[in-house]
């Protein structure tokens, strides 16, 4: 097997090399993101391994097919960047890493919440400037506050349990409530969750039906001063409505690890060129907003698991083993009545 690793980052390279020791595949690392143009780099490779930010549109997939690629091994759980119908049309198998560390992302959501609430990032910056004033840094106790968790899958469950440990009341909403969590959280309607939560955290996939779940109406239903944390997907929030809510002073804080228009911005160093995205630039002007560049997954444990699972996925493909990590288009699932992973459509 020859593997072309696209969007290869220094932070993951050694984990992939270590995981490959058990297989000794020929692995070539390309820093370039996958796109219709760069797909041609994969000429002569059997597999393209892709990052969450890679473009796997129909055009890219057609070019990968022409290059001879038979397998897309995603180094992510999410696959909303993959045109699955096109992949099937070109006979390209798509595999992903559905679960690598729910703790990494859940703990990161907590980190965003704590920093934003207690303003530790601003406090540290002040102290480094020799400004030891603590004016304007007042936060609130999380103890006995109400936290709303939307999406109680792997990550949402861990987040809910951490919040319980802080002594919070946890409300939850999920289209498939988890009976095992019922004793710990109170499942409720979305509206009740919005109306009663001091903090709302998003842990559901981006799907056509969840796009802009948090819209102007949702912001109007939220408690004034509520905190919104999003480590899910940028498209879950209508950014224009978020900006309006911030301008109206309705939100106490927004901690965002994801953004609707990440492409070409997140994972890139734009410090010398600046931002072309005016919406993101506007968001960055709000002191109660904290944005990070999609790094919820960025722990050693998660990277190791991603690397191991990616190599195992590739090996299973080579050995023609059935693989629960294979993803299918909705059309394929309907036709074959498969209960495959796309039925739950987890995307990370
Ligand atoms: P999961 O599949 O285990 O859980 C998702 C939950 O969302 C499920 O319980 C599902 O029933 C629920 N859900 C689906 N559609 C819904 C809807 N319309 N309304 C309410 N609930 C709905 O997924 P997970 O592993 O917990 O990951 C959650 C999300 O976290 C991913 O989809 C991804 O977008 C994001 N993620 C982000 C990072 C990061 O680095 N920031 C890393 C991994 C995952």
């Amino acid at each position: 097997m020859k593997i072309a690793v696209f969007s290869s980052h220094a932070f993951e390279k050694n984990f992939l090399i270590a995981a490959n020791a058990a297989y000794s595949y020929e692995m070539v690392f390309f820093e370039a993101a996958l796109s219709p143009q760069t797909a041609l780099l994969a000429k002569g490779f059997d597999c393209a391994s892709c990052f969450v930010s890679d473009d796997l549109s129909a055009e890219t997939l057609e070019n990968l097919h022409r290059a001879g690629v038979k397998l897309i091994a995603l180094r992510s759980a999410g696959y909303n960047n993959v045109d699955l119908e096109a992949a099937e049309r070109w006979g390209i198998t798509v595999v992903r890493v559905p679960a690598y560390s729910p703790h990494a992302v859940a703990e990161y959501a907590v980190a965003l919440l704590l920093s934003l609430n207690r303003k530790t990032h601003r406090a540290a910056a002040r102290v480094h400037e020799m400004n030891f004033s603590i004016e304007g840094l007042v936060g609130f106790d999380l103890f006995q506050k109400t936290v709303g968790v939307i999406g109680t899958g792997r990550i949402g469950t861990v987040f809910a349990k951490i919040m319980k440990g802080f002594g919070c009341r946890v409300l939850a909403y999920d289209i498939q409530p988890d009976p095992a969590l019922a004793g710990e959280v109170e499942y409720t309607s979305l509206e009740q969750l919005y109306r009663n939560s001091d903090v709302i955290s998003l842990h559901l996939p981006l799907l056509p039906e969840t796009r802009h779940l948090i819209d102007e109406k949702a912001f109007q239903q939220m408690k004034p001063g509520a905190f919104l944390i999003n480590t899910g997907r940028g498209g879950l929030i209508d950014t224009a409505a978020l900006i309006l809510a911030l301008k109206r002073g309705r939100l106490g804080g927004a901690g965002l690890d994801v953004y609707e228009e990440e492409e070409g911005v997140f994972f890139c160093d734009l410090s010398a060129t600046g931002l072309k995205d005016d919406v993101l630039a506007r968001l960055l002007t709000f002191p109660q907003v904290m944005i990070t560049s999609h790094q919820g997954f960025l722990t050693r444990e998660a990277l190791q698991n991603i690397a191991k699972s990616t190599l195992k996925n590739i090996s299973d493909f080579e050995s023609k083993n059935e693989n629960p990590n294979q993803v299918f288009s909705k059309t394929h699932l309907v036709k074959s009545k498969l209960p495959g992973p796309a039925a739950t459509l987890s995307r990370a």
Side-chain angles (χ1 to χ4, degrees), residues 100 105 153-155 174-175 205 210 231-232 257 294 296-297 346-348:
Y100 39 84
V105 187
R154 299 176 191 92
I155 298 169
D174 195 299
I175 44 163
T210 60
T231 56
D257 185 45
H294 203 143
F297 67 95
S346 171
R347 298 165 186 236

Side-chain angles (χ1 to χ4, degrees), residues 3 71 102 108 113-114 141 175 233 237 255 263 274 308 315 325 332 342 345:
I3 306 164
L71 176 70
Y108 193 76
L113 171 58
L114 289 176
D141 285 9
I175 44 163
R233 267 288 185 273
I237 299 177
E263 203 184 325
K308 280 186 177 170
S315 154
N325 296 344
H332 179 96
L345 286 165

